[in-house]
């Protein structure tokens, strides 16, 4: 073999070794690997509707939204532009609308954020529907409870309330405002 062939062979071996080493460094580069703590998307839904039913087959609540992201490792779910509708014991519907909703674990509390509106439709016997406007809210779909520490406005046929923070049990028609309450009462005609 002549000298140029030997130099070419040695050069090719050096390039091969350098390329292999760089490739292994690139693959193990920490910024390109997911750690166990990082979020991994299990599934993603767009323009979706999900129905949650009880063991008896009765609707518990259903959710529609623009986008849903489910995290594989944590089980957390993030929903954009959610609309949650839950059937009440009096067979009416309570709907919750927000910019974003986060449920940290399956069947856990749902945190709604950004221009939250809660609407309970009136029942057939008497008009006891209401609207709540607030900036954030936590909804427990299993216990059917609402709570918030944010400023709110509550409106019904009987008047309106404003205050800071509240808790409510939907099935018991219980509503408590925590602080800074201002009320306007509309007497029945």
């Amino acid at each position: 073999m002549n000298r140029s062939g030997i130099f070419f062979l040695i050069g090719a071996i050096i390039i091969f070794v350098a390329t292999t080493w760089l490739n292994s460094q690139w693959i193990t580069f920490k910024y390109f690997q997911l750690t166990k703590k990082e979020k991994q998307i299990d599934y993603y839904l767009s323009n979706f509707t999900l129905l949650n039913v009880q063991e008896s087959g009765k609707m518990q609540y259903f959710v529609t939204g623009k986008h849903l992201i489910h995290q594989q490792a944590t089980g957390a779910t993030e929903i954009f532009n959610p609309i949650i509708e839950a059937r009440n014991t009096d067979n009416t519907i309570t709907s919750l609308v927000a910019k974003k909703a986060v449920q940290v674990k399956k069947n856990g509390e749902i945190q709604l954020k950004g221009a939250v509106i809660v609407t309970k439709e009136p029942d057939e016997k008497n008009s006891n529907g209401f609207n709540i406007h607030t900036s954030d809210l936590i909804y427990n779909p299993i216990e059917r409870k609402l709570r918030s520490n944010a400023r709110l406005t509550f409106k019904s046929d009987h008047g309106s309330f404003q205050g800071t923070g509240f808790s409510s049990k939907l099935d018991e028609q219980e509503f408590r405002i925590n602080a800074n309450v201002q009320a306007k009462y509309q007497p029945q005609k």
Side-chain angles (χ1 to χ4, degrees):
M1 218 184 214
N2 61 18
R3 283 185 170 192
S4 62
I6 292 176
F7 286 129
F8 179 75
L9 180 63
I10 292 173
I13 291 172
I14 291 171
I15 291 173
F16 174 76
V17 170
T19 304
T20 303
W21 180 79
L22 282 172
N23 189 34
S24 68
Q25 292 301 313
W26 180 263
I27 290 172
T28 60
F29 192 61
K30 70 178 182 177
Y31 294 110
F32 292 105
Q33 290 184 343
L34 290 173
T35 64
K36 290 183 181 180
K37 292 181 182 179
E38 289 186 80
K39 297 178 182 177
Q40 295 181 11
I41 295 175
D42 188 17
Y43 54 87
Y44 175 86
L45 301 174
S46 185
N47 297 321
F48 68 94
T49 300
L50 296 173
L51 177 64
N52 186 322
V53 294
Q54 298 171 349
E55 291 178 6
S56 64
K58 185 178 177 183
M59 180 191 96
Q60 190 163 0
Y61 66 92
F62 78 89
V63 181
T64 61
K66 183 108 173 132
H67 302 288
L68 179 141
I69 299 170
H70 185 265
Q71 306 297 333
Q72 181 178 14
T74 63
T77 303
E78 191 173 7
I79 304 169
F80 297 91
N81 298 332
I83 300 172
I84 301 170
E85 292 191 357
R87 183 160 308 279
N88 300 316
T89 54
D90 61 0
N91 223 20
T92 59
I93 300 289
T94 298
S95 65
L96 298 94
V97 179
K99 299 260 185 216
K100 184 178 178 182
V102 176
Q103 188 174 33
V104 177
K105 63 181 182 176
K106 183 179 180 179
N107 293 328
E109 295 181 330
I110 301 170
Q111 183 175 12
L112 295 118
K113 302 176 183 179
V116 180
I117 301 171
V118 178
T119 305
K120 181 186 180 292
E121 64 184 25
D123 63 10
E124 296 174 2
K125 296 176 186 173
N126 55 20
S127 180
N128 60 358
F130 62 81
N131 290 313
I132 302 170
H133 295 260
T134 187
S135 61
D136 65 79
L137 175 126
I138 295 174
Y139 171 59
N140 185 324
I142 304 300
E143 297 176 5
R144 299 189 33 78
K145 293 181 181 178
L146 302 172
R147 72 180 179 348
S148 176
N149 292 324
R151 184 106 177 115
L152 72 117
T153 302
F154 176 93
K155 293 182 182 178
S156 74
D157 292 343
H158 304 292
S160 64
F161 298 93
Q162 292 184 347
T164 305
F166 76 96
S167 62
S168 176
K169 294 179 182 178
L170 293 174
D171 291 335
E172 297 175 15
Q173 298 181 3
E174 179 181 305
F175 193 84
R176 293 183 180 169
I177 299 177
N178 299 340
N180 303 323
V181 180
Q182 299 174 353
K184 291 182 184 176
Y185 179 70
Q186 297 288 342
Q188 292 278 331
K189 295 182 181 180

